[in-house]
Amino acid sequence: MVIGMETLWTATSIDNNYKELNKDLDVDILIIGGGIAGLSIAYNLLDSRKKVVLLEANRVGSGVTSRTTGKITYLQGHYFDIYKRYGRYVAKKYLNSQKEAIQMLKRIIEDNKIKCDLAKVSSYLFIDDIKYLDRIKEEEDILKDIGCKVEKAKNFPNKKKFSYGIKVEDTYTFHPLKYLYGLKKIINKKIPIYEKSRVLNIEKKDNYYLATCNNGVIKAKKIIVASHYPYFIKPFFMPLKVTLEKSYISAFADKSYNYSAISIDKKSTSIRFYKDGDINYKIYLYGSCNTASEGNINERFLKLKREVNNYNYLWSNIDIMTGDFLPFMGEIADNLYIATGYNTWGMTNGVLAGKVISDLVMGYCNTYEELFNPKRKIYSNMLLAMVSSFKSYTTELIFHKKKWYNGKVSFSKVNGKDVAIYIDNIGRRHIVYSKCPHLKCNLVFNEEEKTWDCPCHGSRFDIDGYVISGPSNYNIVCNEDKCYNFSSDSYGEKQV
Ligand SMILES: Cc1cc2nc3c(=O)[nH]c(=O)nc-3n(C[C@H](O)[C@H](O)[C@H](O)COP(=O)(O)OP(=O)(O)OC[C@H]3O[C@@H](n4cnc5c(N)ncnc54)[C@H](O)[C@@H]3O)c2cc1C
């Protein structure tokens, strides 16, 4: 059994070679983020004759993409929502975009012979709880109406029955990290990728940007932010536009089957299989929730453990929800582009971002430019985002839920700063500043993965306070005497 930030993907792939930025650069295009979106954009710019560079704060693939379930499918359970809001034309266009993305991904894998265990599978959408019958039938009807070949199904290939289900073909699964590592090798032949190189700040000058990193300054005519949740507030005001969905995932030895599935009832499960050597793993995701209503993380993991009995890997992951179930891909300010908000479907949408964003920065038209325009207004979501953040901010502020932690976590002050102290199994004290440097939300301890998680905007820190994923760009490191002035770490200046 693996405890901590390890996932099935990180445990079954390796990439030892990387280089860090150690100089200033002057480029045409800077891409920030080495997940599936950032690498896809770089891939599409390989023949652009532009001077391009990609910076990754940690290691390529170390973000959300290393914690996905890696299903490559257009059966996503949201077509009826899109249809309700925007009508049939948009729902159909979104379906086409997802099918195109699957073809693009397949072509990249085949053209470059990337060994990433791509497998063709049937995709199922199902419910166990009959209360959701209308919901799944609406989805089935709209899919048929927009030209999707859908079959009714009564059970999975392993004969396990569900209350109601549909299935589609021409969908896939793969190993997301093997794919990214393969893609990185190809990109690196023409475009430098610098890892452990975090962009701390971008500053607009007359006709260029200056991006300050922990180990160099980059002058760039255009910047593409593919960092999942951008670390900056202005421009774009992301915290007002999105909510976060968190899910809990397990992988355990089981028989091998050729399908993937998601349910659209209250349990919100997801299933797929992966074979590593002699072991067949079933990957089972259970209990997705908005991070603002997540509450006790340990309780969530306990529910997952009860569902699966035994497991080899256990992890959680967060994705960004846009409210209208369409991603954000496009220009948010002069020569500043963003690719994010994949509503838990980043394997297709990350690949698609590669094409959409590269077309836009090169000045070409793209058929999805309007549909995914990040400047479109989604008012209902703005309200939901504000309420969610406020709720998680105040709930944690008021209760500091000590009872969640079985006495292992306590809260105190060091030099007037709020700190949290976690005592590990051998009695060592781990002290951190207990507010997220991004927007000062109170952090929640995730005992299973030994991380401090922000319920407002999704930043994560390890038990000693080092940032694992953003939007925070800064650590929350403290010792018994003081919380560090952040200029003393490698991530630049920021006072707590
Ligand atoms: C539980 C769960 C299951 C999922 N399953 C599926 C699935 O089956 N199929 C599917 O299509 N999608 C799935 N998704 C969604 C998918 O995993 C994500 O949408 C996708 O991985 C996001 O990719 P990304 O490149 O935008 O982000 P990331 O992979 O997080 O990449 C962003 C990178 O930017 C880097 N970065 C951040 N800040 C900076 C900075 N300041 N400077 C430099 N670099 C920086 C990070 O370190 C990171 O490596 C799932 C999501 C969840 C939560």
Side-chain angles (χ1 to χ4, degrees):
M1 190 211 331
V2 177
I3 293 175
M5 288 297 285
E6 183 113 272
T7 70
L8 174 59
W9 312 128
T10 55
T12 53
S13 59
I14 189 153
D15 171 43
N16 282 326
N17 297 322
Y18 71 94
K19 55 180 182 286
E20 291 180 37
L21 184 72
N22 56 6
K23 57 185 174 199
D24 296 346
L25 294 174
D26 186 344
V27 298
D28 295 313
I29 302 169
L30 163 64
I31 303 169
I32 303 174
I36 192 159
L39 289 198
S40 301
I41 296 164
Y43 181 80
N44 279 275
L45 290 170
L46 279 178
D47 295 324
S48 66
R49 294 169 189 255
K50 298 281 179 200
K51 206 168 167 194
V52 185
V53 67
L54 188 149
L55 294 196
E56 162 55 47
N58 296 316
R59 297 292 315 278
V60 157
S62 63
V64 175
T65 308
S66 66
R67 316 177 68 72
T68 178
T69 47
K71 302 181 298 300
I72 304 164
T73 180
Y74 53 88
L75 190 65
Q76 302 177 355
H78 293 312
Y79 291 94
F80 186 69
D81 298 306
I82 298 172
Y83 163 77
K84 255 192 322 193
R85 185 181 275 260
Y86 295 124
R88 182 176 179 279
Y89 175 78
V90 170
K92 190 173 169 64
K93 193 154 186 179
Y94 182 70
L95 172 68
N96 290 345
S97 75
Q98 299 307 290
K99 287 187 170 179
E100 271 177 44
I102 294 174
Q103 292 313 314
M104 282 181 215
L105 182 59
K106 260 184 71 188
R107 231 177 6 252
I108 297 172
I109 293 170
E110 284 162 11
D111 288 354
N112 299 290
K113 300 188 176 48
I114 298 177
K115 292 194 179 105
C116 57
D117 306 320
L118 183 73
K120 192 169 185 178
V121 298
S122 307
S123 282
Y124 291 76
L125 185 74
F126 71 101
I127 53 164
D128 280 326
D129 184 344
I130 205 70
K131 270 197 293 192
Y132 292 80
L133 188 61
D134 288 349
R135 170 76 189 86
I136 193 167
K137 283 194 165 171
E138 284 165 350
E139 193 70 11
E140 181 182 5
D141 290 346
I142 185 65
L143 279 166
K144 285 182 177 160
D145 187 38
I146 57 178
C148 190
K149 207 167 155 221
V150 176
E151 270 179 59
K152 279 201 169 39
K154 291 191 174 135
N155 51 265
F156 294 128
N158 63 2
K159 306 277 181 268
K160 189 178 174 315
K161 286 195 181 313
F162 34 70
S163 299
Y164 193 89
I166 55 176
K167 91 172 175 169
V168 301
E169 300 299 337
D170 292 329
T171 60
Y172 296 82
T173 56
F174 71 163
H175 188 305
L177 278 186
K178 286 186 182 174
Y179 172 68
L180 284 197
Y181 295 158
L183 197 58
K184 175 181 146 181
K185 272 195 198 146
I186 291 139
I187 294 168
N188 244 332
K189 287 181 188 158
K190 286 191 182 171
I191 292 181
I193 297 179
Y194 294 104
E195 300 176 57
K196 300 205 175 192
S197 303
R198 182 177 288 271
V199 177
L200 294 161
N201 184 34
I202 45 186
E203 207 183 324
K204 176 98 177 83
K205 300 288 180 188
D206 285 346
N207 55 357
Y208 63 92
Y209 284 94
L210 274 189
T212 310
C213 312
N214 52 324
N215 36 16
V217 175
I218 307 223
K219 183 178 171 193
K221 293 193 183 93
K222 300 188 182 209
I223 293 190
I224 301 164
V225 182
S227 60
H228 195 237
Y229 202 119
Y231 60 89
F232 50 81
I233 313 292
K234 282 191 292 182
F236 200 53
F237 295 98
M238 183 93 166
L240 296 179
K241 297 198 173 120
V242 300
T243 53
L244 292 173
E245 183 158 310
K246 188 160 177 181
S247 306
Y248 309 85
I249 306 149
S250 60
F252 51 91
D254 199 355
K255 285 190 183 139
S256 167
Y257 292 101
N258 216 20
Y259 72 91
S260 74
I262 53 166
S263 76
I264 47 170
D265 51 19
K266 202 170 170 216
K267 272 180 151 184
S268 67
T269 48
S270 150
I271 299 163
R272 67 159 283 194
F273 298 85
Y274 177 71
K275 186 169 164 46
D276 178 50
D278 293 339
I279 308 179
N280 291 307
Y281 288 102
K282 180 173 184 174
I283 301 164
Y284 182 79
L285 172 155
Y286 168 78
S288 303
C289 64
N290 180 311
T291 50
S293 53
E294 181 182 29
N296 185 345
I297 298 175
N298 289 334
E299 200 52 53
R300 299 266 173 188
F301 271 116
L302 268 178
K303 281 188 186 154
L304 170 63
K305 287 181 195 169
R306 275 186 223 120
E307 284 272 315
V308 298
N309 292 323
N310 219 336
Y311 55 88
N312 303 76
Y313 299 92
L314 210 58
W315 71 93
S316 70
N317 200 17
I318 295 176
D319 209 20
I320 297 171
M321 310 299 286
T322 59
D324 63 359
F325 297 102
L326 299 177
F328 292 139
M329 295 175 196
E331 197 173 15
I332 54 169
D334 279 353
N335 295 320
L336 182 65
Y337 299 79
I338 200 165
T340 188
Y342 304 134
N343 299 290
T344 74
W345 295 106
M347 300 303 104
T348 45
N349 282 305
V351 172
L352 199 62
K355 178 76 179 118
V356 176
I357 298 284
S358 62
D359 278 352
L360 297 184
V361 292
M362 294 302 292
Y364 308 144
C365 293
N366 185 284
T367 176
Y368 300 112
E369 181 177 350
E370 273 313 304
L371 191 63
F372 301 151
N373 181 355
K375 290 183 185 160
R376 68 184 184 272
K377 302 271 182 289
I378 319 174
Y379 291 113
S380 58
N381 207 47
M382 256 185 192
L383 194 65
L384 183 64
M386 279 190 284
V387 171
S388 294
S389 294
F390 186 70
K391 193 173 149 209
S392 43
Y393 185 85
T394 48
T395 316
E396 301 317 310
L397 195 68
I398 294 163
F399 296 112
H400 259 328
K401 308 257 180 182
K402 287 183 197 164
K403 63 176 184 215
W404 290 353
Y405 305 127
N406 299 324
K408 287 183 175 169
V409 174
S410 58
F411 296 90
S412 177
K413 295 235 182 225
V414 165
N415 275 343
K417 307 288 178 211
D418 291 307
V419 299
I421 302 143
Y422 165 67
I423 300 178
D424 67 19
N425 289 342
I426 56 166
R428 272 180 316 194
R429 288 158 65 83
H430 302 265
I431 308 181
V432 299
Y433 176 56
S434 63
K435 289 184 196 294
C436 179
H438 173 236
L439 282 176
K440 299 283 180 286
C441 284
N442 286 276
L443 300 167
V444 178
F445 191 58
N446 174 342
E447 169 110 45
E448 193 66 50
E449 297 176 279
K450 304 280 182 283
T451 56
W452 285 95
D453 297 356
C454 174
C456 299
H457 310 109
S459 299
R460 300 185 75 182
F461 307 84
D462 72 14
I463 44 173
D464 292 311
Y466 291 95
V467 65
I468 299 167
S469 57
S472 173
N473 246 339
Y474 296 95
N475 301 327
I476 50 167
V477 178
C478 289
N479 64 27
E480 302 284 346
D481 305 320
K482 65 172 185 173
C483 286
Y484 280 104
N485 171 336
F486 278 69
S487 60
S488 62
D489 71 31
S490 61
Y491 296 143
E493 293 204 22
K494 173 105 175 182
Q495 196 82 37
V496 288

